[in-house]
């Protein structure tokens, strides 16, 4: 019920956002249009940024239930739900304690970052759940020697599915974590059995055929784009330079687990205190899990918050374990009370900040009522939670804290019409005539090129005087000079553009002599323009 409310509710209210949701949906849309299942396509050409499994799921959803924001987000939501259930099962295997398992699952389901990713079209949620499935099967093999074969087979099957979702890191991350775990346990010999060899053969049997097939079709082009550009180059070059700091992922972990952030910090402190005394199998696994993900992604210069989503189930386990210990051990009750009060105090500060900043929000939001609703709701939740904490009804207070995401999500739904123009190209695309004017090339900026293509079906060309290409190549013209822009305009009676402010200014300045450049509307960051050749006066 919690997962259904968090991950499925309202998924049709927001149109797909730029640049990533439309990237995956556009690829699946073009594959479905051509009934193509093996080669990912974008702008009518093959693209090798990701393996096909996510596109298979999207294409299946589109062909079965039609194309909509809800169907595009359906499988991420389903996988998020499966991930919460899998974490509960992993908790049962590792903790042998139903309450700790349940609390771990609740922490994961109601953490802001995991819940948000469960409503977003990315590969990362699907990939993360396969990684979680691999660890669950490994724990089954490690803790129940009678089902060791099933555990190892399941481990490598999930690794193969992860590899078909995001590449070889689908095997690298779980394998590093397992080796670290077994080294901690001084049981590395556990891998020396026939089931491991059988699992490896099964892994290659499932994961390798698609790679071999695509290599056979595209050869060096596939190798260069997939392995060099989208893997090796991301280690060396920062696609998003603002994220390339050592503290980016630690801060993402802490902020992403909101409203459980303080409990996560306390769980880390508690774990390090217990390292030499009462460390459990799950403690070792969680620590190995987090370290493996950070080892793989921290050293890369290209950093995105979504890259470390696979470690959030481990954070849920650590936090759930800590919560369970605090609830069951009398000496930790005061600590639980203090952490609950501090967590609810953060909600109060957040609510007051929202109230105080309503004048800033008025520049983006047509009504202040949603902000007042959010502020009053958070303060009310905090008041209820603090009261329960002082009455020592700690478990009920934890559930109130878990529900604090609800007013935030409800507020997002209330202001969706104001926000959508800033995150989606849908509204801007409504100004682009359909094929009544025939095939046309729409001028765009890089940020919304995929969105305009997805929503209009028209060809696009990117206006960018800096001339910087996409990090992952797209078969889209980059118009970095006035002559290139003119070459597009002269072939069309009327040209429409959805561009950012700088591109609009460049077009207006450089094309004013020969063309009328009309600004139709500004929506979010997008300037919608209509460009038409000036009438030529003929002397008689």
């Amino acid at each position: 019920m919690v997962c259904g409310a968090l991950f499925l509710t309202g998924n049709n209210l927001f149109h797909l956002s730029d640049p990533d949701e439309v990237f995956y949906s556009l690829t699946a849309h073009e594959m479905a249009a051509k009934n193509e299942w093996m080669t990912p396509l974008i702008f009518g050409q093959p693209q090798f940024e990701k393996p096909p499994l996510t596109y298979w799921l999207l294409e299946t959803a589109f062909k079965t239930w039609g194309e909509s924001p809800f169907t595009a987000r359906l499988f991420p939501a389903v996988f998020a739900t499966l991930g919460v259930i899998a974490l509960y099962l992993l908790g049962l295997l590792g903790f042998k304690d139903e309450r700790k398992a349940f609390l771990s699952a609740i922490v994961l389901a109601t953490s802001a970052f995991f819940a948000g990713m469960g409503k977003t079209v990315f590969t990362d949620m699907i990939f993360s759940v396969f990684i979680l499935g691999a660890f669950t099967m490994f724990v089954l093999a490690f803790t129940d020697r009678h089902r060791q074969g099933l555990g190892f087979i399941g481990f490598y099957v999930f690794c193969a599915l992860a590899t078909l979702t995001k590449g070889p890191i689908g095997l690298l991350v779980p394998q590093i974590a397992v080796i670290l775990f077994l080294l901690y346990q001084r049981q590395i010999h556990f891998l020396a059995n026939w089931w491991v060899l059988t699992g490896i053969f099964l892994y290659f049997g499932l994961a390798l055929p698609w790679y071999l097939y695509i290599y056979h079709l595209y050869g060096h082009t596939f190798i260069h784009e997939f392995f060099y550009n989208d893997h090796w180059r991301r280690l060396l070059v920062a696609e998003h330079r603002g994220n390339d700091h050592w503290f980016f992922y630690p801060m993402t972990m802490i902020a992403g687990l909101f409203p459980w952030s303080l409990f996560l910090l306390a769980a880390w402190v508690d774990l390090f205190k217990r390292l030499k005394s009462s460390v459990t199998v799950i403690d070792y696994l969680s620590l190995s899990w987090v370290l493996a993900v950070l080892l793989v992604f921290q050293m890369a210069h290209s950093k995105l918050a979504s890259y470390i989503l696979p470690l959030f189930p481990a954070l849920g386990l650590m936090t759930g374990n800590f919560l369970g210990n605090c609830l069951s051990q009398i000496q930790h009750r005061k600590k639980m009370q203090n952490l609950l009060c501090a967590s609810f105090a953060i909600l109060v500060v957040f609510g007051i900040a929202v109230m105080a900043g309503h004048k800033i929000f008025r520049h983006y939001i047509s009504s202040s009522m949603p902000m007042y609703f959010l502020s009053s709701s958070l303060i009310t939740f905090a008041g209820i939670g603090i009261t329960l904490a002082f009455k020592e009804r700690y478990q009920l207070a934890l559930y109130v804290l878990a529900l604090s995401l609800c007013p935030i999500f409800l507020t997002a739904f209330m202001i969706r019409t104001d926000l959508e123009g800033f995150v989606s190209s849908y509204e801007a695309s409504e100004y682009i005539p359909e094929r009544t004017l025939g095939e046309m090339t729409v001028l765009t900026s890089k940020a919304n090129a995929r969105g305009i293509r997805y929503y209009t079906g028209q060809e696009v060309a990117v206006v960018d005087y800096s001339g910087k290409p996409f990090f992952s190549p797209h078969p889209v013209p980059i118009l970095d000079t006035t002559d290139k822009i003119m070459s597009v305009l002269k072939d069309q009676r009327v040209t429409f553009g959805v561009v950012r402010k700088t591109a609009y200014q460049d077009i207006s300045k450089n094309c004013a002599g020969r063309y009328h450049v009309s600004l139709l509307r500004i929506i979010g960051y997008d300037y919608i323009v209509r460009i038409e050749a000036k009438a030529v006066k003929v002397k008689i």
Side-chain angles (χ1 to χ4, degrees), residues 72-363:
R73 296 180 177 122
L74 177 61
F75 276 106
V78 169
F79 270 81
T81 303
L82 293 174
V84 172
I85 295 169
L87 191 69
Y88 175 72
L89 297 175
L90 176 54
L92 285 180
L93 285 170
F95 294 131
K96 303 294 192 292
D97 183 319
E98 289 186 8
R99 182 161 68 175
K100 284 185 179 181
F102 182 74
L103 288 171
S104 299
I106 286 293
V107 167
L108 181 65
T110 59
S111 60
F113 188 53
F114 189 86
M117 291 298 290
K119 302 176 74 66
T120 310
V121 187
F122 276 69
T123 59
D124 299 275
M125 177 57 74
I126 298 166
F127 175 74
S128 299
V129 174
F130 286 143
I131 297 294
L132 170 56
F135 284 124
T136 303
M137 298 307 291
F138 172 75
V139 171
L140 176 65
F142 188 79
T143 57
D144 186 348
R145 302 304 167 97
H146 296 294
R147 290 188 284 180
Q148 191 177 97
L150 175 63
F152 274 121
I153 293 298
F155 174 82
Y156 284 103
V157 166
F158 279 115
C159 287
L161 294 173
T163 301
L164 286 171
T165 304
K166 206 167 182 178
I169 54 173
L171 177 64
L172 186 64
V173 169
Q175 200 68 68
I176 290 175
V178 164
I179 291 171
L180 287 174
F181 170 79
L182 293 174
L183 288 173
Y184 285 142
Q185 297 286 80
R186 297 178 181 175
Q187 295 192 46
I188 195 68
H189 61 273
F190 183 65
L191 295 177
N193 68 66
W194 286 104
W195 285 115
V196 173
L197 189 61
T198 303
I200 291 173
F201 277 115
L202 185 58
Y203 167 83
F204 284 111
L206 291 172
L208 203 56
W210 179 81
Y211 289 88
L212 293 176
Y213 176 79
I214 295 298
Y215 175 72
H216 174 72
L217 290 181
Y218 301 100
H220 176 73
T221 302
F222 167 65
I223 296 296
H224 182 270
E225 173 57 23
F226 185 80
F227 289 102
Y228 169 74
N229 194 60
D230 291 316
H231 285 79
W232 179 251
R233 185 170 166 234
R234 290 179 192 271
L235 290 173
L236 307 176
V237 180
E239 183 178 3
H240 307 277
R241 294 183 180 179
N243 299 344
D244 191 16
H245 302 286
W246 68 267
F247 54 80
F248 178 72
Y249 285 142
M251 293 301 296
T252 300
M253 290 162 57
I254 296 169
L257 212 70
F258 174 85
W260 307 100
S261 304
L262 294 182
F263 289 97
L264 172 64
L265 292 173
W268 274 105
V269 173
D270 178 67
L271 174 59
F272 284 116
K273 285 181 178 179
R274 294 187 290 106
L275 275 179
K276 294 184 179 180
S277 57
S278 57
V279 186
T280 65
V281 168
I282 287 295
D283 290 327
Y284 280 125
L285 179 71
S286 300
L287 189 57
S288 303
W289 191 337
V290 171
L291 287 176
V293 174
L294 291 179
L295 280 172
V296 171
F297 292 105
Q298 181 68 35
M299 62 181 178
H301 286 284
S302 283
K303 292 180 172 66
L304 283 177
S306 60
Y307 289 173
I308 62 164
L309 184 65
L311 62 73
F312 272 76
L315 302 183
L317 281 176
M318 294 171 59
T319 308
N321 187 27
F322 175 75
L323 292 173
N325 289 336
C326 288
L327 289 174
S328 60
Q329 299 172 13
I330 296 175
Q331 66 268 28
H332 291 312
R333 290 298 181 93
K334 189 65 177 177
K335 186 188 296 184
M336 171 67 84
Q337 187 179 79
N338 292 338
L339 286 169
L340 279 167
C341 290
S343 297
F344 285 118
I346 291 174
L347 293 186
V348 173
V349 172
F350 188 16
I352 293 173
V354 169
M355 187 79 74
H358 75 280
K359 290 184 179 179
I360 299 173
F361 295 125
R362 279 192 307 192
H363 293 288

